[in-house]
Amino acid sequence: SSGINAEYGGRSPETLEDLKFVLKTISNIQDITLDVETRARDITERYRTLRMYNIEVPEKEFDICERIGDEWVDLFQQSRRVNQSLVSVKKKFTEITLTQVEKFKEDLSEFREKFLLEGPGAVGYDLDKGIAQQKIFKELFEKYQDERQELANAEKLFGLPISMYPDMISLEADMQGYDMIYTLYADQKKGQEEWSQTLWANLNISVLSEGIEVFLKRLRRFPKNIRAMGICNILEAKMKEFQDSIPLFQDLKNDALRDRHWKKLLELTGKNFEMNPDTFTLNQLFAMELHNFSEVIADITTSAVKELSIENGLKEIIDIWNSTKFDV
């Protein structure tokens, strides 16, 4: 019967954790009392039957059997007395919980403001930075979720209505959206890195066009509220830019292009790399962001085709003259 007193030294709990422990213990006692009383009566009846048929049982067991019912009643009554004695303590901690809830609302509001100003949705076109910010703010948000649960547990313990936090609901929706967006971006980036290792000589246009279309389809399947997010629009724009550059790769594969045309392309785009067929990969072209130079590429390829046509025409004339015999 000294169980509850022994757990907290007969003193009023000094912390919320202490109070939670005592109240949980009291609640457990009250919840199982009917079951325990039934089992105690069953045990008593079993030992009475054993004695009635003169079956030898240690006397100590009989003593315990006789006391078990009374001891449980004592413990149950003690739990009620302790519960009653904690009325003022519960009132004190109820007020503390209400204060903590208000403080939590303020902290959560400040966190949301910081999330909007510095979070994964405020990185502009720097999606790599967005991934880092998403990880940071997600870890911080998980701590707020844990705190919210602790407060909800305390409110339930003291019979208070469970508080609702609109900022929390909004943050959860945003976090879910950014998770989907940045997961797609990371997958698309990984795919592009794999494509970038392809040698220019081994370029297969369909691999690029089909590959980027897969990622765009994933994006189009996002819920409307996520597709409306600014970062989602930026990601879609980036993927479409890459998609728009694919025909330019095809243009640059034109057999009419000579070294002089590539040199002119590098000159006009301000880029510089070695055109060694054994080492030249798509990585260099990806880095050029060809969609920014579509007109330059069109002009160069058009000129190259015309020059090749002229060269072929001259070659035909030369071949004709070389094969023509004149009678003198």
Side-chain angles (χ1 to χ4, degrees):
S1 62
S2 61
I4 300 178
N5 282 331
E7 292 292 354
Y8 72 98
R11 299 175 287 100
S12 294
E14 297 179 355
T15 68
L16 182 57
E17 289 305 312
D18 289 343
L19 181 60
K20 286 180 181 178
F21 175 80
V22 174
L23 292 179
K24 184 178 180 181
T25 302
I26 292 171
S27 177
N28 289 341
I29 292 172
Q30 293 174 346
D31 288 343
I32 67 174
T33 187
L34 288 177
D35 181 55
V36 171
E37 288 176 356
T38 300
R39 292 173 64 188
R41 284 194 297 270
D42 179 62
I43 292 171
T44 301
E45 181 60 25
R46 289 169 184 264
Y47 274 90
R48 188 191 68 80
T49 302
L50 291 173
R51 176 167 283 180
M52 184 174 63
Y53 287 99
N54 296 317
I55 296 175
E56 188 174 339
V57 176
E59 194 63 30
K60 185 177 181 180
E61 288 188 23
F62 279 116
D63 292 340
I64 294 173
C65 177
E66 289 177 356
R67 296 197 311 269
I68 192 170
D70 293 336
E71 288 191 356
W72 178 259
V73 171
D74 289 345
L75 182 62
F76 178 73
Q77 293 300 328
Q78 184 192 10
S79 72
R80 297 183 65 178
R81 290 193 298 272
V82 171
N83 191 42
Q84 187 62 32
S85 71
L86 292 175
V87 170
S88 60
V89 177
K90 286 194 287 186
K91 182 179 179 181
K92 168 189 170 185
F93 281 105
T94 297
E95 293 172 353
I96 290 175
T97 297
L98 290 172
T99 301
Q100 289 176 331
V101 167
E102 291 305 313
K103 179 66 166 58
F104 179 73
K105 288 180 179 178
E106 294 175 4
D107 292 344
L108 187 62
S109 178
E110 291 178 4
F111 175 74
R112 173 156 175 73
E113 184 176 350
K114 185 174 182 180
F115 176 79
L116 293 174
L117 293 175
E118 305 174 16
V123 296
Y125 281 81
D126 191 352
L127 298 186
D128 290 323
K129 180 180 178 181
I131 289 179
Q133 291 300 93
Q134 171 69 354
K135 181 180 179 182
I136 292 171
F137 277 88
K138 188 175 181 180
E139 290 175 355
L140 293 172
F141 182 60
E142 287 173 354
K143 294 179 180 178
Y144 279 95
Q145 288 179 308
D146 292 340
E147 187 176 352
R148 176 187 62 175
Q149 188 59 53
E150 286 296 318
L151 288 172
N153 293 341
E155 289 173 325
K156 183 178 179 181
L157 186 67
F158 301 129
L160 296 170
I162 304 301
S163 297
M164 300 299 292
Y165 306 97
D167 283 340
M168 182 70 74
I169 295 172
S170 177
L171 282 164
E172 285 176 339
D174 286 347
M175 286 290 181
Q176 181 184 23
Y178 288 126
D179 266 345
M180 293 178 66
I181 293 167
Y182 283 113
T183 296
L184 175 57
Y185 170 65
D187 291 345
Q188 183 262 326
K189 182 180 178 183
K190 181 180 178 182
Q192 189 167 325
E193 287 173 352
E194 292 175 356
W195 302 332
S196 71
Q197 303 307 309
T198 304
L199 286 173
W200 174 246
N202 299 331
L203 171 63
N204 185 339
I205 294 295
S206 63
V207 171
L208 301 184
S209 57
E210 292 171 7
I212 195 64
E213 183 60 27
V214 168
F215 294 119
L216 281 167
K217 284 182 178 178
R218 277 178 57 182
L219 185 143
R220 295 185 192 113
R221 288 196 294 265
F222 284 174
K224 287 184 178 180
N225 63 308
I226 295 177
R227 288 207 61 187
M229 297 173 78
I231 287 296
C232 191
N233 294 330
I234 290 174
L235 175 57
E236 184 174 22
K238 279 180 169 286
M239 290 197 291
K240 284 184 175 179
E241 286 175 353
F242 180 83
Q243 188 179 49
D244 291 343
S245 69
I246 293 175
L248 302 179
F249 292 126
Q250 186 69 62
D251 290 343
L252 293 175
K253 286 290 285 185
N254 195 304
D255 292 336
L257 266 71
R258 301 289 186 264
D259 286 344
R260 64 179 182 274
H261 300 120
W262 280 100
K263 289 178 181 179
K264 185 176 182 181
L265 175 64
L266 296 179
E267 178 185 339
L268 293 175
T269 59
K271 307 296 180 180
N272 184 28
F273 49 79
E274 184 66 34
M275 284 296 299
N276 185 330
D278 295 326
T279 59
F280 181 48
T281 66
L282 298 186
N283 185 51
Q284 286 96 326
L285 289 181
F286 288 167
M288 289 179 69
E289 299 182 328
L290 295 181
H291 60 275
N292 293 322
F293 305 103
S294 57
E295 292 184 5
V296 170
I297 294 172
D299 290 343
I300 291 175
T301 53
T302 299
S303 297
V305 170
K306 289 180 179 178
E307 290 172 12
L308 181 61
S309 177
I310 294 172
E311 289 174 5
N312 289 336
L314 289 174
K315 185 174 182 300
E316 287 180 10
I317 293 172
I318 292 172
D319 289 342
I320 290 172
W321 278 100
N322 286 337
S323 61
T324 300
K325 294 182 179 179
F326 294 94
D327 295 328
V328 179

